[in-house]
Amino acid sequence: MSALRSRIENLIPELIEIRHDLHAHPELGYDENRTSGVVCDQLKSAGIEYVPGLAKGTGVLGFIPATTNPESARTVALRADMDALPILEKTGKPYSSTNDGVMHACGHDGHTTVLLGTAKALTLVEERPNNVLMLFQPAEEGGAGGEAMCKDGALAGKHFPKADVIYGLHGFPSAALGEVYTRVGPLMASASEFIVEITGKGCHAAFPHFGNDPIVIMSHVIVALQSIVSRKVDPLASVVVTVGSVHSGFAHNVIPDRATMHGTLRTLDDTMTGWAKAQIDQVVHGICAAYGATASVEWVGWYPVTSNDAGATATFRRIAAEVIGETAVREQEVPVMGAEDFSFYGRHVPACFFFLGLMPSSSQTYPLLHADTFDFNDDAIANGVELMVNLALRG
């Protein structure tokens, strides 16, 4: 282990350069053409076999074969996401985004770098008991790139041996550097996006009685949606309904015909998602009917619950305890209501997802994910690579 750690440490300066380059050139989901090119170039230079062009064009699947007993070897899959977010960066770093309005505010540049470092480190290991798949996927931020990778057979044996297990990580700013957090069962919520359009009747703002104001009706809908959570869900269950975007009108003195809102539904039980969707539909249509308006509800995407397999998680805990110390392997006591499309992989093979600590010991706080000041901590790269390499070899 000490020899492997030394090899990883020698890679760190190069990996930091790669991470800064990726950070300076962020790309949105399914448009990660440059990022995908960097991944392919790095794999090629390391002599690693890969398949490009997956998941609508930018996904990359790398493969490192077992060297000991290859005929009976298990296949361990490791995953990194590559896309950025439509956010204007305000970190002030010398490697800040050169693509105005787009930034790596969720640390996917770090995730991609960790997996590239893992690939490079594995090529330096002569005795590899497992085959290793490396999934560089696009469009985690709402585009379900993980699902697209699955549909293209990344885990199913279409390109390389079929995966037996998969591991993934996410940088976590509220966790201390050097620590990891995970749990068996639900770790992150399911997510469903909805779009509601309410149609009333427009008129002059001074004569509201001649129209039917969709903005007022939508206001009642938004408030009523919260009663689903507060009055129809078991207080010990977890459901979130949030309206994050509202659009209507074009002038201060005109009541418009239509109002549109976008929102998200989160649950920790996929079976509850259908029930909650039906409740939202009922509230929207019922209130609109009461006010003499019409409405449409469109559901435009779904991420399942990210649920960790007990066996894969036990393996992760055992290996992580040996690599970073037992006290650094922490229990994520409650699930997180954020969502992850790593969840799609767990519907095909046993999966374990874990949080990698980013917060330095000298800090009390760290910029949150999706904040315009967030930046992945370079000091966490070595921890991530060492964990992933050991999972690849012993997972």
Side-chain angles (χ1 to χ4, degrees), residues 286-298:
I287 289 177
C288 287
Y291 280 91
T294 59
S296 64
V297 181
E298 182 182 4

Side-chain angles (χ1 to χ4, degrees), residues 139-222:
E140 188 280 325
E141 299 290 354
E147 181 181 33
M149 290 290 282
C150 291
K151 287 181 177 179
D152 277 354
L155 299 179
K158 180 178 179 180
H159 309 282
F160 301 112
K162 183 178 179 181
D164 293 298
V165 66
I166 187 168
Y167 299 96
L169 62 77
H170 202 300
F172 214 53
S174 59
L177 185 68
E179 294 182 344
V180 293
Y181 285 73
T182 195
R183 72 192 307 270
V184 174
L187 176 68
M188 301 183 73
S190 72
S192 303
E193 179 186 354
F194 58 86
I195 301 173
V196 174
E197 183 177 84
I198 296 175
T199 301
K201 181 180 178 182
C203 64
H204 194 295
F207 308 104
H209 54 294
F210 290 135
N212 191 8
D213 193 339
I215 296 176
V216 170
I217 299 169
M218 179 165 287
S219 300
H220 286 282
V221 170
I222 292 172

